[in-house]
């Protein structure tokens, strides 16, 4: 485990060294401003790019190895990607006959009929019925 940790740290240092090689010509002033890149600048930049990429690959590999070691030791629990089964659809509601529907809607129809026949009456909340208001426009 210690070897993997040391390897991860060394790879991270390689990434930082590569990044330094990439920016050093510009930070130290060896690359003239507003000029084409000189040969040493190109060499240092692409060498640093290569070192940084290899170091990044090393960091990823060592971190994955450390994670695997922790899972084997039981110190890290692996999450199971649990896919929940789709719920079964509810059984369709029983169809009501038109006679049942008519009996359910009869009180509503009667209340609407009374409201239409009595447009001048006021409701309990003090507002006129909507039908009466339409006639007054």
């Amino acid at each position: 485990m210690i070897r993997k940790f040391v390897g991860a740290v060394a790879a991270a240092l390689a990434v930082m060294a590569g990044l330094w090689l990439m920016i050093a010509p510009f930070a130290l002033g060896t690359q003239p401003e507003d000029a084409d890149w000189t040969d040493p600048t190109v060499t240092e930049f692409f060498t640093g790019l290569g070192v940084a990429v290899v170091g990044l690959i090393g960091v990823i590999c060592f971190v994955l190895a450390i994670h695997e070691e922790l899972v084997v030791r039981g110190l890290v629990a692996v999450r199971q990607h649990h896919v929940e089964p789709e719920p079964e659809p509810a059984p369709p509601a029983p169809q009501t006959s038109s006679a049942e529907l008519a009996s359910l809607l009869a009180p509503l129809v009667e209340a609407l009929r009374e409201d239409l026949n009595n447009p001048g009456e006021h409701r309990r909340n003090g507002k006129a019925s909507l039908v009466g208001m339409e006639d007054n426009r």
Side-chain angles (χ1 to χ4, degrees), residues 40-111:
T41 300
V42 171
T43 303
E44 285 185 34
F45 182 83
F46 286 109
T47 301
L49 181 64
V51 170
V53 168
V54 169
L56 184 62
I57 292 170
V59 167
I60 292 170
C61 291
F62 278 113
V63 167
L64 290 175
I66 291 170
H67 182 265
E68 182 181 343
E69 179 76 24
L70 291 174
V71 168
V72 168
R73 290 184 181 189
L75 299 174
V76 174
V78 179
R79 287 190 224 162
Q80 298 292 331
H81 295 287
H82 186 288
V83 178
E84 294 183 21
E86 293 184 20
E88 294 180 19
Q95 296 292 329
T96 57
S97 67
S98 58
E100 291 176 10
L101 188 58
S103 67
L104 288 173
L105 293 177
L108 178 62
V109 171
E110 189 61 34

Side-chain angles (χ1 to χ4, degrees), residues 6-27:
V6 170
V9 170
L13 290 173
V15 170
M16 289 191 284
L19 292 175
W20 171 249
L21 283 173
M22 291 172 67
I23 64 168
F26 306 102

